[in-house]
Amino acid sequence: MYIRSTRITLPQGCISGILHWEAGKIVEILDDHQPVPIDLDVGDYRILPGIIDTHNHGTLGYGAMGFEGDVEKELRGYLKGLASQGVTGVLPTTDIQGFETAAKLADEVVDGAKVLGIHSEGPYLNRVGEKGIDTGHPDICLDDLKQMVKKAQGKLKLVALAPELPDARQAIEYLTSVNVRTAFAHSNMMFEEANEAFRWGITVSTHTANVMSGIHHRNMGGLGACLLNDDLVNEVICDGKHICNAMLELMFRMKRDPYNHFLLVSDCSNLSGAPVGKYRMMEGFPEVNITADGYCLSDTGRLCGSTMPVLKGIQNLVENVGIAMKYATRMASRNPAIVYGYPNKGVLEVGKDADLIVIDDQYRCLFTFVEGRCVYDRQREGDVFNQEFLLTHRIV
């Protein structure tokens, strides 16, 4: 297939040209005057490498956890919804109920984003966070962790936990021994404690800055430890709501070689894309409110995940923070591909997988291709929000 655009984002920057792929691999990147048969000319619309979202609980009325019905049907709808938001690869951030099905789908060709592994955020989390209510935490159980690894069938890539919990070090060392990364998450640890925990084998920080102790001029907190440790890669939600734009700029300035150390994530739930209103998110979670400015809040005002996909985070970085598109897409695509072991993904280069998206100037996804297959066409498919979700989960 040949696709032409005046704005193709390559590692070195933006070019006008033609992408050619065969059998799911990019075989040529041509200048736009080559006499080749063009299959799709998108004009001035941008072509970006497909987004790899490594922290995502759901989207567009489909959830990746807290299942209430057919798990496989829910996950297939979820993967299609992600594709409509420019995601070509994902680590479904699910619970153990979804592990076996997610692992199964990882081995299939699906009509949507490709499952690249499984992410378990918790259940061993601790920090209350701002405006939160302490509801306690489960005790770490090594047998339960072994069961998680077994059910994931080799697909478990990341487990996020609070390292101050009893037996956390043993858990981190076990997971590391079976090639599962661990993340610093929902933690009350301060600077020195966090640095000690990193030495146990933690390599990722979960939604950095959110739900961890912040920076103070007399104590750098967990956040300071995450930003000053160059062996750590940092998830970051860039919607401009979870972290203000000035703080995002400060975080990027603090990290040595920052654009190789951050992973843009969404932390979206099944409420991403839902209309303003009050909702029942899922079993075990509080009722939440979707506000007109895009927040997902509990009745106490606590942030409950995100409503905005990574594509909106890219838009915020490029349009409002002043990050070059080549760096924003590196953090959204190439970095997660490298960290989680997919060297042929996340970049538009000859020999790499043809994972790419076409977006308009409002950062809406128009086309999504996964390994050369078109898995989303906005003109043909339109909005893929799960309307049944509104009937069963919307309160007002």
Side-chain angles (χ1 to χ4, degrees):
M1 181 169 177
Y2 293 88
I3 180 171
R4 172 190 281 145
S5 167
T6 63
R7 292 190 290 175
I8 303 174
T9 299
L10 304 182
Q12 64 269 31
C14 182
I15 69 161
S16 179
I18 301 165
L19 288 177
H20 172 207
W21 66 82
E22 294 179 3
K25 299 283 186 181
I26 299 171
V27 295
E28 293 178 296
I29 302 175
L30 306 168
D31 69 60
D32 57 7
H33 300 299
Q34 292 293 319
V36 294
I38 302 300
D39 298 290
L40 180 62
D41 191 332
V42 299
D44 293 333
Y45 291 140
R46 291 184 176 99
I47 296 178
L48 309 180
I51 293 164
I52 298 176
D53 191 353
T54 61
H55 189 156
N56 185 297
H57 301 278
T59 197
L60 298 177
Y62 295 98
M65 60 187 296
F67 301 98
E68 299 175 4
D70 186 321
V71 175
E72 183 166 338
K73 180 181 178 182
E74 188 81 0
L75 284 177
R76 287 186 182 276
Y78 161 76
L79 296 174
K80 183 68 175 185
L82 288 172
S84 76
Q85 296 174 323
V87 177
T88 56
V90 65
L91 302 186
T93 308
T94 185
D95 50 32
I96 197 165
Q97 185 184 358
F99 278 21
E100 291 178 322
T101 305
K104 170 181 176 288
L105 293 176
D107 292 329
E108 295 184 7
V109 175
V110 300
D111 183 28
K114 184 178 181 64
V115 176
L116 300 179
I118 296 170
H119 174 183
S120 180
E121 186 184 13
Y124 309 118
L125 306 174
N126 186 42
R127 182 165 170 76
V128 174
E130 57 184 320
K131 300 182 181 179
I133 299 171
D134 191 353
T135 57
H137 56 79
D139 293 331
I140 292 176
C141 175
L142 197 58
D143 287 339
D144 288 348
L145 284 173
K146 291 178 179 178
Q147 186 68 12
M148 288 168 59
V149 170
K150 181 179 178 181
K151 281 186 173 291
Q153 302 167 37
K155 304 299 194 302
L156 187 60
K157 295 284 187 177
L158 180 67
V159 174
L161 51 78
E164 65 264 35
L165 298 181
D167 299 320
R169 180 170 185 169
Q170 184 182 11
I172 292 164
E173 290 174 348
Y174 162 68
L175 290 166
T176 301
S177 75
V178 293
N179 297 314
V180 178
R181 288 179 178 267
T182 53
F184 178 82
H186 291 244
S187 174
N188 284 311
M189 277 188 163
M190 300 302 281
F191 184 79
E192 292 81 4
E193 301 168 302
N195 278 314
E196 174 61 24
F198 299 159
R199 288 189 281 271
W200 303 341
I202 289 173
T203 58
V204 178
S205 60
T206 295
H207 43 53
T208 309
N210 294 113
V211 206
M212 61 178 63
S213 54
I215 293 174
H216 184 273
H217 61 278
R218 284 190 293 274
N219 192 316
M220 287 287 285
L223 173 56
C226 290
L227 294 176
L228 290 178
N229 188 309
D230 288 320
D231 293 325
L232 214 65
V233 289
N234 307 115
E235 291 182 358
V236 61
I237 304 171
C238 292
D239 57 10
K241 300 182 181 301
H242 282 72
I243 305 170
C244 72
N245 287 338
M247 187 63 186
L248 284 171
E249 184 177 355
L250 180 64
M251 288 167 63
F252 291 138
R253 289 191 189 189
M254 282 182 68
K255 197 83 174 181
R256 184 178 295 127
D257 193 17
Y259 304 127
N260 286 324
H261 282 88
F262 283 95
L263 311 176
L264 266 58
V265 299
S266 69
D267 195 19
C268 277
S269 73
N270 48 9
L271 288 163
S272 175
V276 171
K278 189 169 186 175
Y279 294 84
R280 177 177 62 84
M281 183 184 288
M282 64 186 76
E283 192 70 29
F285 279 74
E287 294 176 355
V288 296
N289 299 284
I290 301 298
T291 69
D293 50 1
Y295 287 101
C296 179
L297 302 175
S298 71
D299 286 341
T300 63
R302 180 180 182 178
L303 280 167
C304 293
S306 174
T307 66
M308 296 187 180
V310 171
L311 192 52
K312 286 297 182 182
I314 293 174
Q315 179 181 19
N316 183 50
L317 290 184
V318 172
E319 304 296 334
N320 300 320
V321 183
I323 304 296
M325 180 65 81
K326 65 179 181 179
Y327 296 131
T329 57
R330 182 190 299 179
M331 293 187 288
S333 304
R334 188 57 174 161
N335 290 355
I338 292 171
V339 168
Y340 292 104
Y342 289 90
N344 288 324
K345 293 188 176 294
V347 65
L348 301 181
E349 288 182 339
V350 172
K352 305 301 186 186
D353 290 345
D355 294 345
L356 57 123
I357 62 176
V358 180
I359 66 168
D360 65 15
D361 287 340
Q362 287 72 50
Y363 289 75
R364 292 177 299 187
C365 182
L366 305 179
F367 296 95
T368 301
F369 294 87
V370 174
E371 296 174 357
R373 296 176 297 107
C374 184
V375 296
Y376 180 71
D377 177 340
R378 177 171 291 275
Q379 185 173 2
R380 178 170 54 87
E381 299 178 86
D383 182 9
V384 295
F385 194 96
N386 180 12
Q387 295 300 314
E388 183 180 344
F389 174 82
L390 298 180
L391 297 175
T392 57
H393 289 72
R394 193 173 188 181
I395 299 170
V396 288

